[in-house]
Amino acid sequence: MTARRLGIGLVSVGWMGRLHSRAYLAAPHHFPDLPARAELLVAADPDAGGRAHATDVLGYRSAVADYREVMARDDVDAVSICAPNFLHREIALAAIAAGKPFWIEKPMGRSAAESGEIARAAADRGLVTAVGFNYRHAPAIARARELVRSGALGRITHVRSSFLADYSSDPRGALTWRFLTERAGSGVLGDLASHAADLVQFIAGRIERVSADVETFIAERPLPSAGAASHFSRGSADAPTGRVENEDYAVLLARLSGGAIASIEASRIDVGPRAEYALEVYGTAGALRWDFQRMNELQLADSPDGFRTVLARPGDGEFARFQPGAGTAMGFDDLKTIEAALFLRSVAEGRQLAPSADDAWEAARVVDAALASARSGAWTEVPAA
Ligand SMILES: NC(=O)c1ccc[n+]([C@@H]2O[C@H](COP(=O)([O-])OP(=O)(O)OC[C@H]3O[C@@H](n4cnc5c(N)ncnc54)[C@H](O)[C@@H]3O)[C@@H](O)[C@H]2O)c1
């Protein structure tokens, strides 16, 4: 069968935009049976350096400053939306109006209302979507999900997820869009706790209600120099400062649909953990632990002898697409290659396969409920869609 060519348009050539692009190109190397091949047609970024990178390095045929030119092109079959959060709604609605399926980064909207607007509009237009909940694709997570679903761990009693990062631990970290409510929405809740909430729901059941607290520990940050916008931008020592508007740290206690209790913790200012994104699941017959920093390992207790380490192996999720045997590691970019493959197949076959806009909306409702609970001090229901 000849694979169909799908013209790809990219919006924003930052960390994620570059990774989406590499993932589209890598997808057929690992999934040669894919019914579609990506053709990188056009990238949009107001930054000239990003546009040059798109054409000179990533291989886009052209680059433009305004994303609306991407949506206007008939030869663009699908788009990647990798812009800062405050642009997601506008760009996603433009993609939907143009009838383009999209792969969007998380958090999808700045609030549950925005995420819901995007998810509903995509559904009304009958478009498939993909959302950057990449940790789902780790083979060890696929195995964890299977172990839970097969009943190998018994009845699930409690789940712990902590997404602890240090990317904003330096108080000299510049006050970029990520720290401003109007630009980012929530802080670490949308950035990291949304991943954790998605993993908990993917593996252990729907989060039905939460009790949460949040805090901003670094209240002021230096204003950024022009162009500085990444997670890792630093302000100069003598720069004027501005107020951080969203939370650095969040902790949630949650009840899941199956009756289990979950705790979710997320921080962007920890000194020590680098990207310690962990999930632990405990059941009446066993338990498992996973940490993204050791992505290919699963701590598994399926006997009274306690935990043992098992390495991801062929048979766990898509591991065999990348490595022939256990012990040879996969990396972060590979998770995005799996996401790209799911998205390309979805578009070609017209069926939803990747984490979806609905999943992003669900995670956004958990984030909103956590913020409401932190304000009121009360347990808060997470509404069903
Ligand atoms: N899935 C994940 O694990 C993950 C990891 C990092 C970031 N993200 C998400 O990806 C998104 C982008 O983050 P990033 O780290 O790639 O950001 P980044 O700062 O590296 O890149 C952002 C890019 O957007 C461009 N941009 C700014 N204004 C624009 C406009 N009007 N039109 C088009 N492009 C514009 C900038 O020039 C820059 O190239 C965010 O929503 C973030 O939360 C997800």
Side-chain angles (χ1 to χ4, degrees):
M1 186 188 71
T2 323
R4 187 180 149 196
R5 318 299 297 180
L6 288 178
I8 299 294
L10 168 69
V11 183
S12 299
V13 195
W15 178 18
M16 282 301 116
R18 293 168 196 215
L19 180 48
H20 278 219
S21 307
R22 291 197 298 278
Y24 283 124
L25 297 178
H29 292 264
H30 300 280
F31 300 85
D33 51 327
L34 273 181
R37 297 276 183 278
E39 255 180 22
L40 304 187
L41 291 185
V42 56
D45 200 301
D47 174 56
R51 293 199 297 279
H53 189 87
T55 50
D56 300 353
V57 178
L58 299 172
Y60 285 87
R61 292 204 201 135
S62 62
V64 295
D66 188 336
Y67 75 85
R68 285 171 293 198
E69 288 184 48
V70 174
M71 305 306 167
R73 283 178 57 155
D74 291 337
D75 56 351
V76 168
D77 298 300
V79 293
S80 269
I81 302 173
C82 300
N85 303 356
F86 63 96
L87 294 165
H88 287 184
R89 174 186 172 275
E90 168 187 328
I91 297 169
L93 293 181
I96 294 164
K100 317 258 188 236
F102 57 92
W103 175 14
I104 190 168
E105 273 310 325
K106 46 50 61 183
M108 190 168 71
R110 283 169 296 187
S111 61
E114 272 194 6
S115 293
E117 191 182 355
I118 296 167
R120 282 206 202 93
D124 288 349
R125 190 73 198 243
L127 296 174
V128 296
T129 55
V131 171
F133 284 141
N134 20 259
Y135 303 110
R136 276 193 193 195
H137 312 308
I141 289 292
R143 182 162 175 189
R145 188 169 192 246
E146 247 180 64
L147 286 163
V148 169
R149 300 207 152 200
S150 70
L153 305 185
R155 181 172 56 82
I156 302 307
T157 52
H158 57 289
V159 181
R160 298 170 64 189
S161 185
S162 54
F163 270 53
L164 308 179
D166 66 352
Y167 66 79
S168 304
S169 59
D170 185 342
R172 290 170 305 160
L175 190 77
T176 60
W177 62 267
R178 292 172 203 280
F179 300 97
L180 305 175
T181 312
E182 195 268 323
R183 306 235 118 192
S186 61
V188 77
L189 274 166
D191 199 34
L192 295 181
S194 62
H195 277 299
D198 181 68
L199 274 189
V200 168
Q201 303 201 100
F202 183 59
I203 289 193
R206 191 177 163 261
I207 298 173
E208 292 188 326
R209 54 184 194 280
V210 296
S211 171
D213 208 352
V214 298
E215 188 56 85
T216 306
F217 291 113
I218 300 176
E220 298 262 329
R221 290 183 177 274
L223 297 178
S225 51
S230 91
H231 277 85
F232 308 101
S233 307
R234 295 276 171 272
S236 72
D238 51 0
T241 61
R243 193 172 68 82
V244 174
E245 296 176 351
N246 53 28
E247 72 293 339
D248 289 328
Y249 173 85
V251 60
L252 288 68
L253 193 57
R255 274 286 181 178
L256 306 186
S257 50
I261 293 180
S263 66
I264 295 176
E265 193 185 9
S267 175
R268 63 187 179 190
I269 50 85
D270 283 7
V271 176
R274 309 306 312 257
E276 200 176 284
Y277 304 156
L279 179 78
E280 303 180 4
V281 182
Y282 297 87
T284 51
L288 57 85
R289 291 178 174 162
W290 177 81
D291 171 5
F292 167 64
Q293 291 182 139
R294 308 179 80 88
M295 183 179 106
N296 298 284
E297 294 182 16
L298 197 61
Q299 303 293 320
L300 181 59
D302 51 3
S303 80
D305 293 334
F307 282 110
R308 66 194 163 95
T309 302
V310 296
L311 294 180
R313 54 179 189 183
D316 294 345
E318 301 290 4
F319 185 88
R321 299 283 193 163
F322 293 82
Q323 303 297 352
T328 306
M330 284 174 63
F332 177 66
D333 286 17
D334 296 330
L335 306 184
K336 281 303 205 204
T337 299
I338 296 171
E339 210 160 78
L342 288 169
F343 181 55
L344 291 170
R345 187 179 287 282
S346 288
V347 175
E349 296 179 355
R351 62 196 177 108
Q352 183 64 46
L353 296 168
S356 67
D358 280 342
D359 295 323
W361 182 19
E362 183 129 27
R365 292 197 300 277
V366 174
V367 166
D368 271 24
L371 285 170
S373 170
R375 274 194 299 272
S376 69
W379 277 89
T380 303
E381 296 294 320
V382 180

